[in-house]
Amino acid sequence: MPQLQEATLVLRPKYKQETKKLTSRNVDSIKESPYQRKIRTGTTKSIHEGLLGGKHFEEQISVNRVTLPDGSTEDRVFNGGHRLVSLRKFFANKPDAVVYVNMNVYDNLSPDEERAEYTLLSKGNKQNTNDVVQAYKNEIPIYKIFQDG
């Protein structure tokens, strides 16, 4: 019987997958990333209408599970903001509903890592200048001047 060779290269994703049961009582436990792109109402309306019609959006939501100073954790969505907003609207209309959502959970990504992962995951989505500015607004000195002014 031939012996199996030990793998010389093992590749694993940077995240773990979880399925989360979302309800009107816990949907707000998922927070928006401070680097979230601008939410487009047309996109959220379409997703929301699908949910009301009984259609699941099927895509995963990517979150950065951040450890807070007190040792607790907080999930911050960095890819799936439109879906999260749509879920909140859906639960406002259907407070007794349950939606199971698949999540790609990353642990304690730095801001640069979070933005890089978002860019990688969103290659198929058209991004405009506003999306890039939103992601890097805290790194752009003139943005802060206009914001404070």
Side-chain angles (χ1 to χ4, degrees):
M1 176 174 260
Q3 288 192 350
L4 296 175
Q5 290 186 355
E6 196 169 312
T8 57
L9 178 63
V10 178
L11 301 173
R12 291 188 173 86
K14 299 175 190 175
Y15 56 85
K16 59 184 173 227
Q17 292 185 311
E18 294 179 6
T19 300
K20 186 167 181 117
K21 177 182 177 181
L22 290 179
T23 66
S24 60
R25 290 173 292 289
N26 73 351
V27 70
D28 289 330
S29 68
I30 302 174
K31 309 296 183 192
E32 291 84 11
S33 168
Y35 316 108
Q36 172 67 45
R37 68 192 281 189
K38 183 178 177 186
I39 299 297
R40 292 170 177 80
T41 54
T43 302
T44 58
K45 181 180 178 187
S46 175
I47 296 168
H48 179 242
E49 287 173 355
L51 290 166
L52 289 173
K55 185 174 187 243
H56 196 288
F57 45 78
E58 300 297 334
E59 292 181 64
Q60 299 90 354
I61 290 177
S62 296
V63 300
N64 185 11
R65 184 161 289 155
V66 178
T67 303
L68 302 174
D70 67 2
S72 64
T73 59
E74 177 177 272
D75 288 344
R76 297 179 185 165
V77 66
F78 66 89
N79 188 20
H82 290 87
R83 284 164 267 161
L84 181 61
V85 168
S86 300
L87 283 164
R88 288 184 176 142
K89 289 167 101 177
F90 173 71
F91 287 126
N93 291 313
K94 303 277 187 186
D96 295 330
V98 173
V99 178
Y100 288 89
V101 176
N102 292 321
M103 297 190 339
N104 295 336
V105 181
Y106 296 76
D107 285 320
N108 291 304
L109 295 176
S110 71
D112 286 340
E113 291 169 326
E114 189 175 303
R115 289 187 289 250
E117 285 300 316
Y118 173 78
T119 300
L120 182 66
L121 293 169
S122 299
K123 281 192 178 199
N125 297 337
K126 185 178 178 184
Q127 293 189 52
N128 61 34
T129 305
N130 289 336
D131 295 330
V132 175
V133 169
Q134 185 66 23
Y136 289 91
K137 66 184 178 188
N138 294 329
E139 315 292 322
I140 303 170
I142 197 160
Y143 184 89
K144 188 160 177 57
I145 292 169
F146 283 117
Q147 190 177 29
D148 292 343

